[in-house]
Amino acid sequence: MPTDLAKLRKQAQTLREQLNHHSYLYHVLDDPEMADAEYDILMRRLEALEGEHPELVTLDSPTQRVGAAPSAKFAVVRHRKPMLSLANAMNADEMVEFDKRIKRLLRSDSDIEYVAEIKLDGLGIELVYEDGVLASASTRGDGENGEDVTANIRTIRSIPLRLRKPETGRIPKLLEVRGEVIFPKKAFQRLNADREARGEPVFANPRNAAAGSLRQLDPRITASRPLDVFLYAPGVIEGVEFHSQWEFLQGLRALGLRTNGESKVCRNVDAVLDYWNLLTDRRHSLDYDADGVVAKVNSYALQAQIGEVSRSPRWAIAYKFKAQQAETVVEKIDVQVGRVGSFTPVAKLRPVALAGVTISNASLHNLDEIRRKDIRENDTVLIERAGDVIPYVVRVTRQAHPRHSEFMMPRRCPECGAAAVHEEGEVGYFCVNANCPARMRESIRHFASKGCLDIEGLGDKLVTQLVERGMIKELDDVFRLTTQQLEELERMAEKSARNVLDAIEKARDTTLDRVINGLGIRHVGEHTARQLALRFKSLQALSAASEDQLVSVRDIGMEVARSVREYFDEPRNLRAVKRLEQILRIKTPSEPSGRGALRDKSFVLTGTLQTMTREEAEQSIMVVGGRVSGSVSRKTDFVVVGAEPGSKLKKANDLGVRVIDETELLKLLQE
Ligand code: IVH
């Protein structure tokens, strides 16, 4: 009945308004009034309502953030007003010089008022609101032309799909607004930890993670990443007038747009320098990367008078923070032993403060790296924190006198004293002792990690203690731990002991691929573990497989096959695996759910894909039941070519295998 529908429409409208309002309190004012759980309940109510009555769905509904299907390519968007870049100042003198130049241009001696803002290290974007509704969004690109990323931008929760009506003033007819999409630092560390656990390549820094997440052809991937935004510059605006940068920033907030809370009006250039000094320290406690301070002349009238040169405004400047580097002394080069026994040299540094934390270790990766940089004990080195996370040694700045001898890899394992082996042609050195406590410690850590048994609470410190005290000698010992044993350990109260045991108990229900991955067989990561699980369906069958049988599994070559065989040929491993089989409740993974045309089709990828990483492409193919292999043969169904393809393309053509590009792949995946 129409009246009923009218009532429902009103209900949906109210829910949308409530959700948008609370989203504004949360993202823009940073002052939420509603618990997340309550918000979710409202959201689910709206989803249910719209689900039953699709005619009630509106484009600006908060349920419609991830609506669009993956696209094949980003369209090019021309910015109506070019997106300018900023000139840089290298030091305080250059800032003072900048201020003087402005005074000269304005023929004035009085103080110039600036707005000081953080220079955010993310990805420049432009949002376009037409009559208050988000109409399109694009990347900065080269400043003239960007890419249309509207579907992805819509997934960012802090970007309103519709502007708020300000208490005073109105919604502009047209609002082009520029800003920066950022990847929060904490979330970045979590993302990388997860990717590492899954054996996927990690992002070098939050900016790359932001760019990689926004430039995804499938908005669902973007939606899964916790991107955020800060808006700071006007494009073309119609229907409302702003007279200064500060008024503009306040105006954005009133319209429900997120701005950076650190921005400040500075009455002269000295105040800007104070702001820079303050932020130089403060930035480490912010949850986003900041690479400097931007000073903008506050008055728009003065900005217009000052003008611009060669794509940069003369009324603004970026004063970069100093690189996050420090000098310190390498007190010692130690060797850490990994899960498969590999040795990693680590520089033990004289503790030094860098980017807000004290650094006392830096990985030197391998012997080649040490030789290349010629790093020796007692040398003074320059260290840097990449993307605020992993410290590394840039170079030696002062050699010690007299110079220490070159670092040599130990001939014996530093933890257990067993012989070390170095395989010809490989960079690595290994401990051969399968009982090495260091190997056991790392194996257990891996076994308990996210991509494997995923035992929450069984962290590094606890594992170290358990192995040191001999409470864990084999993987399956984890499942024999008792409350009493745990309570003996440092800082372990009854309640935490209980929690750990509960988590261990929960981990008994698991899947075969996780267990295989957890065994820590050399060269077997998550992907290979899955293939092995699908093929052999039980640990028993896998442990009995011959090298020939193993090689016949997709994606498994001689090296992996040999390594699997070696693992199960070791009686001790075999015994541990048998015991695990009894203790765990292992489900066999089901075949991929592909019903469509791609089921069992084999793909080979060559060249660089533009819209997704190789891993993402492989995953998407596997999800629909296809498989990906490393080399082209007559049995290959499709060769997907990206930019600069290798010899595989030629081979495909020679063998008459069907060659498709990325666009066609996406189309096939969607079908
Ligand atoms: S204003 C007309 N403000 O820096 C001035 N830019 O080199 C145009 N950026 O591409 C930009 N934080 O992506 C401005 N608070 C801020 C900024 C900022 C970061 C980036 C922006 C731009 C680049 C300019």
Side-chain angles (χ1 to χ4, degrees):
M1 262 187 288
T3 46
D4 276 355
L5 195 63
K7 221 156 116 198
L8 293 177
R9 173 160 300 155
K10 182 92 196 80
Q11 247 175 42
Q13 177 64 20
T14 310
L15 281 169
R16 275 197 287 272
E17 277 165 13
Q18 278 178 318
L19 284 163
N20 286 339
H21 178 67
H22 288 285
S23 178
Y24 163 77
L25 293 179
Y26 182 93
H27 292 292
V28 179
L29 300 190
D30 229 342
D31 187 17
E33 278 175 6
M34 182 177 263
D36 291 0
E38 266 178 276
Y39 183 91
D40 291 343
I41 292 174
L42 288 187
M43 187 70 139
R44 257 177 265 138
R45 236 188 263 158
L46 180 60
E47 277 167 356
L49 201 57
E50 291 179 345
E52 275 172 43
H53 300 277
E55 65 274 28
L56 297 181
V57 179
T58 59
L59 194 62
D60 67 344
S61 172
T63 58
Q64 299 303 300
R65 288 196 176 268
V66 197
S71 57
K73 206 169 148 209
F74 296 112
V76 174
V77 180
R78 195 171 177 81
H79 302 296
R80 254 182 275 201
K81 202 166 126 186
M83 290 178 76
L84 303 178
S85 56
L86 292 165
N88 285 318
M90 302 314 287
N91 51 46
D93 288 349
E94 291 187 14
M95 285 300 286
V96 173
E97 195 38 56
F98 159 78
D99 182 61
K100 281 193 185 145
R101 190 169 56 240
I102 286 179
K103 287 178 179 154
R104 269 202 308 276
L105 285 165
L106 294 174
R107 294 175 217 287
S108 152
D109 259 350
S110 7
D111 277 351
I112 303 289
E113 189 176 78
Y114 295 98
V115 171
E117 298 173 9
I118 285 185
K119 185 164 192 314
L120 300 151
D121 196 8
L123 191 72
I125 51 131
E126 175 171 77
L127 309 178
V128 181
Y129 287 89
E130 289 170 7
D131 290 319
V133 177
L134 179 64
S136 68
S138 53
T139 59
R140 175 176 186 274
D142 62 4
E144 300 278 340
N145 297 298
E147 286 174 320
D148 182 343
V149 286
T150 313
N152 292 343
I153 285 287
R154 287 175 62 91
T155 69
I156 301 177
R157 302 265 223 126
S158 52
I159 296 182
L161 301 176
R162 176 187 283 279
L163 297 178
R164 273 175 82 80
K165 163 107 181 57
E167 272 165 31
T168 56
R170 54 196 138 105
I171 289 180
K173 182 104 198 79
L174 171 70
L175 176 73
E176 286 183 1
V177 57
R178 283 113 189 237
E180 206 86 356
V181 166
I182 52 123
F183 206 112
K185 286 199 285 200
K186 282 204 202 79
F188 167 76
Q189 279 168 25
R190 277 199 301 273
L191 175 80
N192 265 359
D194 280 0
R195 286 176 77 90
E196 197 167 346
R198 286 197 301 264
E200 294 171 8
V202 296
F203 287 109
N205 51 47
R207 178 163 39 84
N208 288 8
S213 304
L214 197 60
R215 297 191 70 265
Q216 284 289 341
L217 284 181
D218 186 347
R220 281 171 304 186
I221 298 179
T222 311
S224 74
R225 309 263 171 88
L227 294 173
D228 205 344
V229 77
F230 289 111
L231 299 161
Y232 50 64
V236 179
I237 298 177
E238 289 167 10
V240 173
E241 222 179 308
F242 298 107
H243 303 92
S244 70
Q245 174 67 5
W246 191 249
E247 190 189 312
F248 170 70
L249 292 177
Q250 303 312 309
L252 293 184
R253 270 169 83 80
L255 289 165
L257 292 163
R258 185 161 152 86
T259 57
N260 189 286
E262 305 294 330
S263 306
K264 200 174 161 232
V265 178
C266 295
R267 58 169 218 286
N268 57 25
V269 73
D270 289 334
V272 175
L273 293 175
D274 289 345
Y275 178 86
W276 185 90
N277 281 322
L278 193 80
L279 262 296
T280 284
D281 293 332
R282 245 186 80 70
R283 65 172 160 147
H284 306 302
S285 56
L286 302 174
D287 194 28
Y288 44 85
D289 272 347
D291 57 356
V293 161
V294 184
K296 303 174 179 175
V297 168
N298 190 17
S299 153
Y300 280 175
L302 293 185
Q303 284 188 4
Q305 237 176 298
I306 300 164
E308 58 197 53
V309 275
S310 64
R311 305 268 136 237
S312 318
R314 280 194 291 192
W315 44 261
I317 196 155
Y319 182 8
K320 293 268 187 86
F321 295 128
K322 301 276 172 276
Q324 302 187 44
Q325 293 183 329
E327 273 196 346
T328 187
V329 174
V330 176
E331 294 187 324
K332 199 164 178 299
I333 299 179
D334 259 357
V335 169
Q336 277 174 5
V337 185
R339 146 169 75 89
V340 288
S342 55
F343 292 0
T344 305
V346 177
K348 295 284 163 190
L349 305 169
R350 180 173 301 159
V352 61
L354 177 58
V357 294
T358 304
I359 309 281
S360 44
N361 291 309
S363 170
L364 299 172
H365 307 293
N366 55 52
L367 197 55
D368 285 1
E369 172 114 347
I370 298 180
R371 292 270 185 278
R372 200 160 43 77
K373 294 181 179 167
D374 192 19
I375 303 165
R376 305 191 193 182
E377 288 182 3
N378 301 335
D379 284 354
T380 303
V381 290
L382 186 68
I383 59 165
E384 195 173 290
R385 286 183 83 198
D388 253 333
V389 201
I390 320 138
Y392 75 100
V393 175
V394 183
R395 61 169 189 276
V396 173
T397 52
R398 201 162 359 102
Q399 299 185 347
H401 274 300
R403 197 103 202 267
H404 203 280
S405 51
E406 266 194 357
F407 170 77
M408 306 273 266
M409 274 293 190
R411 308 208 162 205
R412 305 207 149 267
C413 171
E415 301 242 10
C416 74
V421 289
H422 173 57
E423 283 173 19
E424 210 46 59
E426 288 204 27
V427 283
Y429 286 73
F430 298 87
C431 165
V432 288
N433 175 15
N435 294 317
C436 173
R439 292 184 58 172
M440 183 41 64
R441 190 176 64 223
E442 297 308 311
S443 303
I444 300 285
R445 270 195 217 172
H446 173 73
F447 185 63
S449 71
K450 257 214 150 93
C452 304
L453 279 261
D454 195 10
I455 308 176
E456 221 177 293
L458 200 55
D460 292 0
K461 291 218 174 79
L462 184 53
V463 170
T464 307
Q465 288 192 65
L466 290 168
V467 173
E468 267 170 11
R469 295 183 171 226
M471 291 179 186
I472 295 184
K473 295 202 186 72
E474 304 287 344
L475 294 184
D476 55 294
D477 289 340
V478 169
F479 295 94
R480 271 187 278 278
L481 291 171
T482 62
T483 340
Q484 223 174 7
Q485 275 180 314
L486 287 177
E487 279 174 25
E488 275 175 36
L489 304 175
E490 274 166 50
R491 276 178 295 156
M492 186 57 87
E494 190 189 328
K495 181 147 190 300
S496 15
R498 201 56 270 155
N499 286 345
V500 173
L501 289 183
D502 283 350
I504 292 174
E505 183 54 37
K506 222 171 87 192
R508 275 182 205 253
D509 284 300
T510 185
T511 55
L512 185 57
D513 51 333
R514 282 175 176 272
V515 181
I516 296 174
N517 188 11
L519 296 178
I521 304 170
R522 219 173 143 200
H523 305 303
V524 176
E526 192 167 302
H527 172 78
T528 309
R530 189 166 168 76
Q531 300 299 352
L532 291 171
L534 285 171
R535 168 64 185 270
F536 294 102
K537 304 215 160 33
S538 73
L539 285 174
Q540 201 182 4
L542 174 64
S543 61
S546 68
E547 269 184 39
D548 284 349
Q549 282 172 319
L550 287 162
V551 181
S552 74
V553 178
R554 68 185 65 145
D555 296 347
I556 290 183
M558 275 313 293
E559 197 180 18
V560 182
R562 198 168 308 131
S563 157
V564 173
R565 219 23 284 153
E566 270 170 16
Y567 180 89
F568 289 106
D569 282 343
E570 168 69 46
R572 195 179 132 189
N573 290 341
L574 198 61
R575 279 199 302 273
V577 166
K578 286 209 170 118
R579 286 195 304 264
L580 278 180
E581 245 180 334
Q582 285 164 5
I583 294 172
L584 300 173
R585 291 181 287 267
I586 306 175
K587 274 202 295 258
T588 316
S590 49
E591 289 283 345
S593 61
R595 46 196 150 80
L598 296 194
R599 198 187 164 110
D600 285 334
K601 292 280 183 266
S602 77
F603 288 76
V604 172
L605 307 172
T606 177
T608 318
L609 301 179
Q610 305 298 306
T611 65
M612 46 188 154
T613 64
R614 188 168 278 250
E615 289 69 32
E616 278 155 3
E618 286 179 6
Q619 241 168 30
S620 314
I621 290 169
M622 277 170 42
V623 164
V624 296
R627 47 200 162 87
V628 181
S629 102
S631 57
V632 184
S633 73
R634 266 173 227 292
K635 287 193 230 149
T636 308
D637 294 296
F638 299 96
V639 170
V640 184
V641 286
E644 292 173 44
S647 58
K648 290 175 194 164
L649 175 58
K650 183 176 175 313
K651 183 139 186 222
N653 286 328
D654 290 348
L655 294 176
V657 172
R658 185 161 162 209
V659 174
I660 61 172
D661 66 9
E662 211 172 325
T663 317
E664 286 171 275
L665 172 65
L666 282 164
K667 224 187 275 160
L668 283 175
L669 287 172
Q670 264 180 277
E671 278 166 17

